[in-house]
Every structure is written in structure tokens, then in C-alpha cells.
């Protein structure tokens, strides 16, 4: 189905549903096809731990730094 962009604006939900159910939906401007609505297909699931063993996080990574605390919060009163 080829549909002009002005008509697509008013019927977007219907067109998305049609594309989702396998129908070909092409949006045109001045009868010139511009884009095709297609169902989104995720590329791949994210894999956790890809950098395991490749980086070294120091044991004191989460420790507070007094100099930085002073910059943010000022001198202790």
C-alpha cells in the first residue's frame, strides 16, 4: 500500500498496525515513495561481562576523597 504523507499523518496508528501484521506500507510525498514502515527487529541482546578480565578496578574505587569532598561541600565547621 502506498499512502501520501498527509494521509499517513492522520492514520499513523492504523498504518503501524498494518505493518506490524505483515502488510507493506510505503509513505510517499507527491506520489514519490519516501519511506517504508517495517517492524522493528532488535539487533541482539546485550551481553554482560564483555570486559571481564580486561580492565582493573582498584579496591578503593568507591572510597571518598577528602579533597573532592572539600571542593563540593566546603571545609568542615
Amino acid at each position: 500500500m502506498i499512502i501520501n504523507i498527509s494521509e499517513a499523518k492522520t492514520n499513523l496508528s492504523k498504518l503501524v498496525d498494518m505493518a506490524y501484521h505483515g502488510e507493506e506500507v510505503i509513505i510517499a510525498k507527491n506520489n514519490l515513495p519516501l519511506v517504508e514502515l517495517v517492524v522493528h527487529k532488535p539487533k541482539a541482546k546485550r551481553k554482560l561481562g564483555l570486559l571481564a578480565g580486561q580492565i582493573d578496578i582498584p579496591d578503593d574505587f568507591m572510597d571518598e576523597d577528602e579533597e573532592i569532598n572539600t571542593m563540593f561541600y566546603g571545609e568542615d565547621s
Side-chain angles (χ1 to χ4, degrees):
M1 158 185 266
I2 297 178
I3 187 165
N4 275 328
I5 198 165
S6 58
E7 189 177 343
K9 287 180 184 180
T10 58
N11 296 309
L12 183 61
S13 294
K14 177 182 166 188
L15 296 172
V16 168
D17 190 53
M18 291 168 62
Y20 179 75
H21 287 95
E23 189 166 335
E24 182 180 58
V25 178
I26 298 172
I27 299 175
K29 185 174 185 179
N30 298 327
N31 295 321
L32 176 67
L34 294 177
V35 296
E36 182 176 355
L37 290 180
V38 295
V39 177
H40 173 70
K41 296 177 185 168
K43 294 177 184 168
K45 289 189 177 184
R46 292 176 50 190
K47 295 182 181 179
L48 297 178
L50 287 176
L51 295 177
Q54 297 181 26
I55 59 173
D56 182 37
I57 299 175
D59 293 334
D60 63 349
F61 178 76
M62 295 297 289
D63 292 349
E64 292 187 16
D65 185 315
E66 290 303 319
E67 184 179 346
I68 293 174
N69 283 343
T70 301
M71 286 190 290
F72 277 95
Y73 305 117
E75 296 291 326
D76 289 333
S77 299

